[in-house]
Amino acid sequence: MNYLSDIDVGKVVKVNALLAKDLLKERMLALGLTKGTSVEVIRKGPKNNLTVFDIRGVMIALRREESNLIMVE
Amino acid sequence: MGLTRDSSKQSTLVDLFNIEKKENEHIIALAGNPNTGKSTLFNHLTGLSQHTGNWPGKTVTNARGKFKHGCESYHLVDVPGAYSLFATSEEEMVARDFICFGHADAVVVVTDATCLERNFNLVYQVMELTDNVILVINLMDEAKKKNITINKIGIELDLGIPVVLTSARNGVGLKELKDTLNLVMTNQYEYNNKSIIYSNEIEKKISYVESKLEAKINHIKLRFLALRIIDGDNRFFDSMKQYFSDDEYELINQVREEIHQEVNQEEVRELITEINYKEAEVLKNKYVKENANKFHKDKKIDDILTSRIFGIPIMLLLLTGVFYITVAGANVPSGMLADAFFSFEEVLTRWFHTLHAPNWLHGVLVLGLYRTLTWVVSVMLPPMAIFFPIFTLLEDLGYLPRVAYNLDHLFKKACAHGKQCLSMCMGFGCNAAGIIGTRIIESPREKLIAILTNNFVPCNGRFPTLIAIATVFFAYVSYGQYNRIIPALIVTGLVVIGIMVTLLVSYLLSKTILKGVPSSFTLELPPYRKPQIGRVIYTSIIDRTIFVLGRAVLVAIPAGIITWILGNTFIGDLSVIQYIANFLDPFAQLLGLDGIILMAFILGLPANEIVIPILLMAYLSTSSMIEFDSFDSLRQVLVNNNWTYLTALNVMLFSLLHWPCSTALLTIKKETGSWKWTCIGFIIPTVIAIIVCMMTTGIYHLF
């Protein structure tokens, strides 16, 4: 198991668990980051900060602080 | 019908929900994810008969409209865009409450054909809330471009609800949608709603809760209520209180407590979402065929626009380009307008002479009012009519989220919220709108920072001022030569300064009175879309240009008359204006301005658009008359009043950084609910503007 923030560009991984709480968790779920969802890492922004992911056919950018709350395999 | 609730509990939101209706009139809620073309569909359906306002007691915009089709007439309510009904924002809360308690006769869920999987999630949620759901799959033209094919009949059979394929911006599929609405409203459509079946354990609980509630509660779908009781959506229950009577609420609370003891709600909530999305995935895989590479084109464009190295330079280049086109294109129409207005001024003057009107009346109305107003229109209108459409075009393309993406690391460093960049971009339109836009930021600390710094990007009211002064003063390097690059660079530079000040002040605030770390942030990068030229021109000309100019003209009329009178009322040797100007002058000189400029800024508090009009009126009322031919003569007026490059620069800097207009200040008061923060919102920019202008003046005088 890894953090989503550590995955390289171009890789596809599956969501395993969300470590986020409350509103953030709710928001992640609303975006479709449920268990077993495939996520592709599309692009890393300046300073490796914002990273763009393909989440259920939509491009979503997350900061490192958020993407390392998502466990993947 | 109506809600069964204590009359004392009537909230304004409920009032709005009870739209009065006659026979054959139906209330339709229009729901959907953001960016699905929902508003386009709304506009196409309702045309001009629409009405916008705020949801009562909320700050979320609400649009309603009417249309007729056959014998049926419809009230269409545009529900705020939401990803999910498990509300995480005020918009989503309003959306959920309206769909739950608004008594709509049907809910139309608008979805984006290019990302149906996520959209289906919302469809399933709405289907849990209400029976009469119509699914609109919009943006079919985009889907076609991306080679996505959709099996409409399959989806319709599987969901058991009507499905309509549309391409709203081209008007495709709207007739089918209206036909479908008529069918549904006259009960000719046979619904076969297939709701999601959860795990055995959850289903058992649902039945149990339903059995407990069914005797007493009948104005909300029990299955939905039961699910929320089981997954423990506390925010939902907080806002639900107002729609239930005390008895009902008590009963619900009893059941909640009972259920809470036996369920791990967090797990259940995750499971429910998971199953919801799994169904959405299955549905999509079954009926939607798409290339694995549907992002290909967007990725290519993003490679350039959001490149680590070129992202920001390209952004600046684009901005300069926009200003360049504005400056270059505005010159000729400005001159033409000025000529036309001036020849009409001669006609007006002749009329006044024929009518033997007194000289002072001619002075006030023609020389004071008409001349300055027409001057303002000819200087401000052409740049606005060019700048706003181009800016709207970039917005429509989907460029703004990319700007947020490019700049996010800077905002993060400033300990600000990522979405502050978006509210900042809205500020380019209007700072009051930008301040309202900060509602997308959940954390109160970061929202305050975003509110207090929004003013540092120039709004629609100040852009024309900046562009006009940059053009007037820096386009004519020498006589006859018209330089367009320098003004464009100057305005871009000012925007950059504005953004830098935004970041710096955000940083300082986060380190002092608003300490804290940046909170979570998710940013959607929507696919690039071909802008709808018609809409762009309509919104930018009507909504922006006419609005800004109209406001400038309206506020400038009384201001113009007063200024002219003050300028021509003499006490001793000096006019009243000169007295005021002389009084302000010593301080203004420290800022590299003069008394009249400072007076114009002070009088410009109601609207930044009128700073230039007042300035001109004040100068014209005291100086001799001059030939009128647009930009160059404006420069002459200014130079005759001792303007130097420093004056021009400082006027622009002061305009960029000074106090917010009264509308923006009132909005700050409304959003923060505190006079303290409103005062701080006034003081910070004012102090910064004064310091910066003093610094440039100091540096200028050193050399």
Side-chain angles (χ1 to χ4, degrees), chain B residues 376-552:
Chain B
V376 169
V377 172
S378 34
V379 171
M380 281 171 67
L381 179 62
M384 280 197 282
I386 299 171
F387 174 72
F388 292 152
I390 303 179
F391 196 79
T392 318
L393 214 69
L394 284 177
E395 256 180 80
D396 256 36
L397 266 170
Y399 186 59
L400 291 194
R402 270 76 188 182
V403 172
Y405 179 84
N406 284 336
L407 294 181
D408 186 64
H409 61 288
L410 300 173
F411 279 90
K412 189 175 158 188
K413 244 197 199 134
C415 296
H417 197 281
K419 285 184 190 158
Q420 187 180 332
C421 189
L422 292 175
S423 65
M424 182 184 84
C425 287
M426 285 183 227
F428 281 114
C430 163
N431 292 126
I435 290 164
I436 293 172
T438 61
R439 283 178 197 151
I440 51 176
I441 300 171
E442 293 100 18
S443 130
R445 179 190 79 90
E446 287 152 314
K447 187 178 155 181
L448 259 177
I449 294 180
I451 288 176
L452 295 177
T453 55
N454 194 274
N455 191 53
F456 295 123
V457 290
C459 61
N460 281 348
R462 290 181 286 162
F463 263 123
T465 310
L466 299 179
I467 293 173
I469 292 185
T471 312
V472 161
F473 236 79
F474 298 93
Y476 294 92
V477 179
S478 59
Y479 259 80
Q481 269 186 326
Y482 186 64
N483 188 317
R484 301 168 178 96
I485 299 265
I486 294 174
L489 283 174
I490 286 174
V491 180
T492 309
L494 285 167
V495 172
V496 173
I497 292 174
I499 295 175
M500 274 163 33
V501 173
T502 303
L503 289 166
L504 188 72
V505 174
S506 302
Y507 179 79
L508 292 176
L509 284 172
S510 341
K511 291 293 165 202
T512 53
I513 47 175
L514 289 167
K515 276 196 187 111
V517 285
S519 64
S520 67
F521 162 59
T522 55
L523 173 72
E524 177 173 350
L525 300 175
Y528 291 100
R529 277 179 201 148
K530 209 179 88 200
Q532 308 152 247
I533 304 293
R535 199 192 71 88
V536 166
I537 291 175
Y538 177 82
T539 51
S540 49
I541 299 288
I542 302 298
D543 281 7
R544 296 190 173 173
T545 310
I546 301 294
F547 177 77
V548 172
L549 201 65
R551 203 161 84 138

Side-chain angles (χ1 to χ4, degrees), chain B residues 268-286:
Chain B
V268 172
R269 176 71 137 206
E270 253 188 277
L271 191 64
I272 286 177
T273 317
E274 199 184 316
I275 294 172
N276 240 301
Y277 256 114
K278 214 163 255 165
E279 291 287 329
E281 205 179 318
V282 169
L283 197 63
K284 189 210 118 192
N285 288 341
K286 225 159 129 189

